[in-house]
Amino acid sequence: MRSISTKPLPLNTFKNLSETRNPFCVSIYLPMFKKGKEQNQEMGPATLKSQIHRLEKTLGEYGMKDPEIKEYLKPLHSLVENRELWRNPGDGLAIFLEKESGLQYYLLPFSFEPVSYVSNHFYMLPLYPMYHQNGEYFILGLSRDYVRLYKADRYGLRDLNLETHAPEQLEEVVGYDYQQKTLQFRSGQAGYAQGSFHGHGEGKDDEKIELIKFFKEIDKGVRKLLGESNAPLIVAGVSRWHSLYKEVNSYPNLYKEALWGDPEFKDVGTLQQEAWELVAPYFKATLDAKIRAYRENVHRSNTSHQIADILRAVKDGRVDTLFIQKGTDEFGTYSEKGCIILDSEKTKKNISIYNRMARDTFLKGGKVYILDKGHMPYSKRPINALFRY
């Protein structure tokens, strides 16, 4: 039995789950009910119990005998009784069960509508927003006595330990008599955050020279750590420090907007949340561009909203971007020759067509977006595709 904390699934884990093939693969998605009242009423375990009852019926219809069903679903019943799990919930819970690897479950940072699915593969459709409605970026926290570099995305961040490649404090670069010989530093949180100085002699000119020297050393460390990356780099610090750092920066994608305020006095959760709100439009621009490209080519051969056309393009690796309306699916069967038969519901003999198309698009390097109806490029149909050619 394996679990992962409230972070998105690593890409390798996602791919391994996507490629699993075994009879009676079970996929379950649940909300976890984080509020106190919901937890007191044990709504999370109750929702899982409800899905288990559905699975018992489904597995029976698929040919599994009652004693075998009981034994097979034991790990799920154990999960219901796992009080530690429900006391420390994520926003959502994804559960995967199959005979060879047993039970795997993942606490994730977004919620799901309750759903269960049984087939010879896992159901991955609810998970695509983790990858294509997200984005990787960096945060450089700058303060006189505090320098940090974080790798972040929509759901969290981690410290890259910049101190192993760059100074952590201004005095490490300019000398520990800097404060006494060039300026008076006014302490206290507000003054500290602004780096408020009363100059003597050259005053502000001295300050700028020393800060530039400091920032050049930081820039060297940043470049060593980030290598060939081109993800946005957000500077978090007071306004004057951002403008000075911009003068010496050599990283190719320094984000145009900065995160104001002294990062030393922010917890990392607040820092990550504020940074994501700042950078989210950058990543949304990619989606907007794909939607615009679809609409500009809606009557041409490189777009389609017909499921049979899209399925053939997926098979050939021609889908650049797949758009699926949230809460929709199609079940059916199809042949290698492209013949598709749609059914009104999931049965033992059919599969989720959208799940298969999303999986193959994703594994072949395409993007998959799960969108509300009003945001679909062509909202009259629940699936749209932009082709590479």
Side-chain angles (χ1 to χ4, degrees), residues 143-197:
S143 179
R144 183 174 175 275
D145 296 312
Y146 173 95
V147 179
R148 294 288 187 277
L149 181 64
Y150 298 100
K151 183 176 183 179
D153 63 14
R154 182 176 184 175
Y155 305 108
L157 51 71
R158 66 182 178 90
D159 194 331
L160 294 181
N161 300 314
L162 179 60
E163 67 274 11
T164 61
H165 297 281
E168 287 188 276
Q169 296 181 329
L170 176 62
E171 283 82 356
E172 291 180 36
V173 176
V174 303
Y176 286 91
D177 61 342
Y178 169 66
Q179 183 175 354
Q180 288 77 23
K181 79 180 180 183
T182 60
L183 33 87
Q184 274 183 329
F185 184 77
R186 186 170 63 231
S187 62
Q189 182 169 330
Y192 199 86
Q194 293 298 322
S196 179
F197 299 97

Side-chain angles (χ1 to χ4, degrees), residues 358-374:
R359 187 206 72 169
D360 290 350
T361 296
F362 186 75
L363 295 180
K364 292 177 181 179
K367 294 185 178 297
V368 180
Y369 291 103
I370 311 296
L371 304 176
D372 292 328
K373 183 177 181 179

